[in-house]
Every structure is written in C-alpha cells, then in structure tokens.
Amino acid sequence: MIASLLFIFVCMRKLLLSLWVILPLLAISQVNRPIGINLAGVSDYSTELVFVDAFKQSRGWISSNAEGGGPWDTGIDVPLNAQGYPLEIPYDDGVNLPQIVKTLMIWDLQEATPTGHFRLIAEGSGQIRLNFGASGTYTCPVNTLVDVSGAVMLEILESNASDPVHGIQFILPNYINSYEDQIFTDELTTFLDDFQVIRYMDWLRTNASPVTSWSDRTPVDYYSQAMTEGVAWEYVMALANQTQKDLWINIPHKADDDYITQLAQLLNEGVDENLHIYLEYSNEVWNAAFSQHHDCAELASSLYGYTGQEWERAWQCTARRSADVFSIFENVFENDERLVKVIPSQAANSWLSGQLISYFNDPLYNLNGVSADVLAIAPYFGGAVADQIVTDNMVSSITVEEIISLMQTALGESSQWITETEFVANQNGLDLVCYEGGQHLVATGNNVNLDELTEKLVAVNRHPDFNEVYCAYLDEWYFLSGGLFCQFSSHGWYSKWGSWGVKEYFDDMLNPKYQALQECVFAVNSLDLNEEELANWSIFPNQAKDVVII
C-alpha cells in the first residue's frame, strides 16, 4: 500500500514537472534525457577496438618453450622491464627450459575482425614472428605492412639483453598513415558522440581490483592496456578530453589515501575544466558476488573496528571510504563544482539505500562531514525471467515472442524499484541516477549451460520487437527519475553469460537496443523546436507511465 501511494505521488509530481519543464527545455535544445555509457573492458577479444594500435589491447604475455613442445602456457615468469617487455629472450632461469613469450591480438572477433594491411612496428634488437591470421618472421627494428586475414599471435623469438625488443605497435588498417597523431579509433569516438557521460568501471577493471598503491597502476607507456590493474588513467583523461564527455570513475576498493590523493591531483591537472567527474567508491560493494564485498567487510573490521554481519560491515566500509574519497578530492579540487559525489546502492532494496545514506551521514564514518550529490542504482529489468522459464519447464516450448512479452511484464518491477528509491533520494536531498541499466536476460547457476535457452535469450536481444520494450523501459526511467541513465554496456558478443552490449560490434547499427537509444533518447536530445512547432505537439502518459511526445 505504501509503495502504491509513493508511486502515485511521484508520478503526479513528475507529470506536472514534465508539463512545466520539459517543453521549455526542448525549445532551447538542451539535453532532456541525460545518457551515459559503460565502456566494455579493454581486451584482445573485445569487439570494441579502442586504440588505433591493436597491440595496446593485446593479452598478457604467455610463456612457452623456445624449442617448441610442452604446454601452451608454461606459467614461467619471464622478467620484464618497466614497460612490460621481456629483458631477454630466450629466457633461461637455469631450472626450466629456455622460454619465449607470445601474445594474442584481435582474437575471436568473428565477423568484427579487422582485416587488410596492418602496420607492424617494433624497436630494439631481436626477432618477432606472426602466426594464424598473419604470417612472417621479422628482424627488429622493423616498420612494415602486414596482410591480416584473422586473429593474430605475436611471438618474441629473440630479444637482445643490451637492446631488448620494445615499442611494438600493430596499427589497424584505417590508421596506418595517421597513427602518429591519433590514439583512439574513429569508430569509438563516433559511437560516443550521443552520450554525455562515460563510465570507466570495466576499463579500470574495478571488480576484484588488486590495486593498492599508486605504483600498482598501469603505466601509460605499458605495452598493453588489457591488464588486471586497468587502463592507464592518462588514457581515461585523453578520451574524456577528446570527446568532451563527463567522466564516471571507480576508485579501487583497496586503494590507499596516497593513491587517491595522487589520482585527484592527476585528474585536477589533466581533465578539461568543463567536464564533470563522477566519483564512485569501487563497484557494487553491497553485492556479495564480488570479492570487493568480502574484502571491504574485512577492512571494516581490521582497519576501523566496525562490527556486525559481513554485509553490514561492507556497507559501513562503503560509507567510510566514499567519504574519505570525497574529502581527499575536495581538498585537491578546492570547491571545484566539477565533482559529482556518488552514493552507490542496490536498486531492488530501497531500505539499503536509506541505510547507506544513514551511515554516510554519521560522523563515525564521515569524519570530515562531506556531502554527497547523487544516489546511484542499477535498475535492470527481467533478471528473473530466464530462470523462471526453466522452473516452469518451458525451455523447449516457449517462443522468442513470448519471452519478449515476459520482459515487457517485468518492467513493472523495475518501475517500482525506481519509484521507491527516488523517494529515498528525495528525502535526503540527493538526485537519483543510474550507474548501470538495461535488460538482464541471463540465466544463473547451471541454467547458463542450457544451450537451447541461451539461443532464445540471445534471439530476444536481436529481435526487432525488443526495440519497443527497450523504449518503454527508457521512458519509465526518464519519467520516474529524469536523472542520468548509464547504459550497460557498449559493445560485446552475446553469450550464455549475458547479452550486455547495446551493440555487439561497431557496425551492428540495427541492433534493437541501440535503435531504442536512438529513437527514445538521442532523438529527444537533438530536438530544436521553436514556439510555432511546440504548439503542434501533444503530451500524455503512456502505459509505461512516461511522457510521450508526438
């Protein structure tokens, strides 16, 4: 009953505000539906080709026996220099067989694999070899064009200890003449044009991050940016500055105060003064599925002496370290209005949101009395649908169209979460934003191995009729909250682990989810109406409780 009353209250308030506010905003062509994007993680198997130099997305070195034979990966640690290149190849530790190293690039990208003439560059003294989608053995230094037809393995066969092989680049075909003046691909930056915020959580490898001190971070000149420590902060800043998009960054959960201070100083000096910086401590510390939940609960006990159940201590740690992060950044930025301080919470549990805010406002956790700006949730929809299909023994009989209907029905649950959490945010003077959102059509447990189910779940995400459901979902968010919505995520293949990408690869322009963004968000943000045109528009709530403009 209480939830229903809250829903009616918020809907009435939002409708009045929409009638009063949205049309004037449209008339001056402002952003009416603020939209952000979570970038996919940087890896050799990502269809999101970030860098014009594909080597920057190469896999970590794999060691193998120099003379051949033995396992694919011997697991032997070959000594590396500060840029991640082997000091000498073959490497002989006096115990194991001599070792070479290899890495993989543009791996398993299927139809998204770039082909054609790549530019191969390598400095130093030694020998490298290409295999699989390219072939050839090259003496370094080298700067040549290579024909590529598929995924590539690069091996360092020899590297002179007095001048080790380094500076390897593998330039994508479209950039073999412009690579010296360009870091990021045009495909990436063009995709980002319609968004206002970039969330770098997966770029930074936030979940289970091993980073503790400033020296742990990935250097900007490291051979690959696909490391467990995440992409170098310099590239985060470079992309934000080039695209002029606000940054949403996640602080590693184990990061010490010196790390946070040095990061704040780097961003203060390096980020364009016109850009906002959303500050979030880690990612979903409330979620016991992530190791940071357990780590933070332990930190709460060992460092601060907090007590209670593990989940409670994880929340206390979130409040404490969030306040610490905000305080350190405020000291560096000195009352700069660029900072947006985020309290992260769970969409399905508005009580948790209230509890986290209560902890944050308590001097026991917030030592310097800093304030927050936004409450952030991830109101995914349809998370229970896949497993319910299994429970109902309908895997073989259910159609893709019927699953789409179930996803439409599931919108009611996410609407309730948004409504209840919006009430908590309003009570505490915070704006409600979405740090991640979208469909959550994925099975759990052993159900992920049901191939027939996976095929149908993936088919839903590719089905043209899903466009309408996705638009209704976006409509609900903007009507019930109106705040920033950060889509999860950008590009990636669909599989049994989920269909997270709003597109599967750059050229997947007809993806129904991406078309929903175009039609129901980007198009609204690009409107530029005069008073005469506004007079011909009608506004009414649709079944998703949103304002539809026709």
Side-chain angles (χ1 to χ4, degrees):
M1 180 63 179
I2 293 176
S4 298
L5 291 174
L6 291 176
F7 181 78
I8 293 171
F9 170 78
V10 173
C11 285
M12 290 299 293
R13 182 176 65 83
K14 291 291 185 181
L15 179 57
L16 290 173
L17 286 175
S18 297
L19 291 170
W20 182 253
V21 175
I22 290 181
L23 283 178
L25 287 177
L26 287 173
I28 59 176
S29 188
Q30 291 185 352
V31 173
N32 312 297
R33 293 190 163 191
I35 183 74
I37 188 69
N38 282 266
L39 289 178
V42 172
S43 68
D44 61 280
Y45 50 84
S46 173
T47 60
E48 189 160 273
L49 299 171
V50 170
F51 301 102
V52 301
D53 175 11
F55 197 69
K56 282 187 169 65
Q57 291 186 229
S58 60
R59 193 172 301 189
W61 295 119
I62 303 164
S63 57
S64 56
N65 295 330
E67 298 301 322
W72 164 260
D73 182 359
T74 59
I76 296 172
D77 289 330
V78 175
L80 308 175
N81 65 16
Q83 288 73 46
Y85 289 98
L87 297 177
E88 183 177 15
I89 294 293
Y91 167 64
D92 189 350
D93 63 3
V95 177
N96 299 285
L97 293 173
Q99 298 292 298
I100 62 172
V101 295
K102 58 195 174 190
T103 186
L104 306 177
M105 297 177 287
I106 55 172
W107 200 257
D108 196 25
L109 303 190
Q110 304 170 51
E111 63 261 41
T113 304
T115 58
H117 294 300
F118 282 61
R119 183 179 293 276
L120 172 65
I121 300 171
E123 302 173 33
S125 178
Q127 192 175 74
I128 58 178
R129 179 169 64 195
L130 301 181
N131 277 308
F132 297 109
S135 62
T137 302
Y138 304 89
T139 299
C140 302
V142 62
N143 185 337
T144 189
L145 296 182
V146 175
D147 187 51
V148 174
S149 60
V152 176
M153 178 176 75
L154 181 148
E155 300 171 286
I156 300 181
L157 303 178
E158 297 177 10
S159 186
N160 193 315
S162 62
D163 184 21
V165 172
H166 64 282
I168 299 176
Q169 299 179 69
F170 202 55
I171 308 300
L172 295 169
N174 290 343
Y175 307 96
I176 57 175
N177 296 318
S178 61
Y179 68 96
E180 292 179 303
D181 302 313
Q182 188 170 352
I183 299 173
F184 306 109
T185 63
D186 295 335
E187 292 83 355
L188 175 68
T189 56
T190 299
F191 169 74
L192 294 173
D193 281 346
D194 293 305
F195 298 93
Q196 288 80 55
V197 178
I198 303 173
R199 187 168 183 255
Y200 293 91
M201 186 271 294
D202 278 332
W203 257 37
L204 298 170
R205 297 287 183 96
T206 304
N207 296 321
S209 173
V211 171
T212 299
S213 63
W214 189 238
S215 60
D216 294 334
R217 74 195 188 284
T218 302
V220 68
D221 59 353
Y222 210 66
Y223 80 96
S224 174
Q225 294 296 309
M227 300 290 107
T228 57
E229 294 79 12
V231 171
W233 283 107
E234 288 82 357
Y235 287 122
V236 172
M237 296 189 299
L239 183 60
N241 289 341
Q242 178 179 332
T243 59
Q244 285 295 287
K245 307 299 178 183
D246 292 338
L247 308 77
W248 186 313
I249 63 170
N250 301 75
I251 307 300
H253 67 283
K254 295 179 181 179
D256 58 26
D257 286 357
D258 176 69
Y259 178 101
I260 300 168
T261 300
Q262 296 212 48
L263 174 59
Q265 292 169 343
L266 180 70
L267 296 176
N268 185 41
E269 296 171 1
V271 173
D272 192 299
E273 62 182 11
N274 297 315
L275 301 179
H276 291 92
I277 302 173
Y278 289 73
L279 292 175
E280 181 184 4
Y281 173 65
S282 189
N283 176 66
E284 294 191 4
V285 176
W286 52 265
N287 190 343
F290 291 125
S291 63
Q292 57 261 32
H293 169 89
H294 310 287
D295 291 342
C296 288
E298 176 59 30
L299 288 174
S301 298
S302 60
L303 291 183
Y304 309 123
Y306 300 151
T307 59
Q309 298 293 322
E310 183 182 64
W311 49 266
E312 186 177 8
R313 286 181 281 117
W315 300 351
Q316 293 168 336
C317 181
T318 301
R320 170 62 184 262
R321 291 307 282 164
S322 293
D324 291 345
V325 168
F326 301 164
S327 180
I328 291 171
F329 266 77
E330 285 184 348
N331 288 337
V332 172
F333 278 70
E334 296 182 350
N335 299 319
D336 196 314
E337 295 183 356
R338 286 185 291 171
L339 301 180
V340 181
K341 294 161 287 182
V342 178
I343 298 293
S345 188
Q346 183 182 16
N349 190 347
S350 61
W351 178 84
L352 167 58
S353 296
Q355 188 60 53
L356 278 169
I357 294 171
S358 178
Y359 284 141
F360 180 79
N361 291 334
D362 188 333
L364 178 63
Y365 310 104
N366 190 340
L367 305 184
N368 296 302
V370 294
S371 62
D373 300 303
V374 299
L375 176 64
I377 59 172
Y380 288 103
F381 74 100
V385 169
D387 288 336
Q388 191 61 48
I389 292 171
V390 179
T391 300
D392 294 341
N393 196 29
M394 295 179 63
V395 172
S396 296
S397 61
I398 197 167
T399 66
V400 169
E401 290 76 11
E402 288 171 335
I403 299 175
I404 291 175
S405 180
L406 291 176
M407 293 296 284
Q408 175 78 49
T409 301
L411 293 177
E413 182 179 57
S414 64
S415 294
Q416 183 174 353
W417 295 343
I418 296 166
T419 300
E420 293 174 351
T421 312
E422 168 82 350
F423 185 79
V424 174
N426 287 340
Q427 280 187 317
N428 291 276
L430 301 174
D431 291 328
L432 182 65
V433 299
C434 165
Y435 66 85
E436 290 177 17
Q439 59 74 41
H440 203 287
L441 190 57
V442 61
T444 63
N446 291 329
N447 293 341
V448 301
N449 297 315
L450 300 174
D451 292 341
E452 186 176 12
L453 176 63
T454 294
E455 289 176 5
K456 291 182 177 181
L457 302 184
V458 169
V460 167
N461 278 272
R462 294 171 175 165
H463 198 287
D465 289 352
F466 200 43
N467 171 287
E468 184 176 350
V469 178
Y470 221 77
C471 260
Y473 170 69
L474 294 166
D475 287 347
E476 284 185 342
W477 168 263
Y478 287 111
F479 181 59
L480 295 174
S481 169
L484 171 68
F485 180 92
C486 289
Q487 169 72 39
F488 189 89
S489 61
S490 50
H491 299 91
W493 291 124
Y494 300 162
S495 70
K496 67 180 182 179
W497 307 116
S499 302
W500 305 114
V502 72
K503 293 192 294 176
E504 295 189 72
Y505 51 93
F506 283 131
D507 290 336
D508 186 22
M509 302 299 290
L510 297 181
N511 189 297
K513 293 183 291 188
Y514 187 63
Q515 288 193 320
L517 281 180
Q518 290 177 306
E519 297 165 10
C520 300
V521 180
F522 303 159
V524 176
N525 288 339
S526 65
L527 292 172
D528 187 7
L529 305 176
N530 57 40
E531 293 182 6
E532 181 179 350
E533 290 172 317
L534 287 172
N536 296 321
W537 285 47
S538 303
I539 299 183
F540 60 90
N542 69 2
Q543 292 180 350
K545 309 266 188 321
D546 194 3
V547 171
V548 174
I549 305 173
I550 62 172

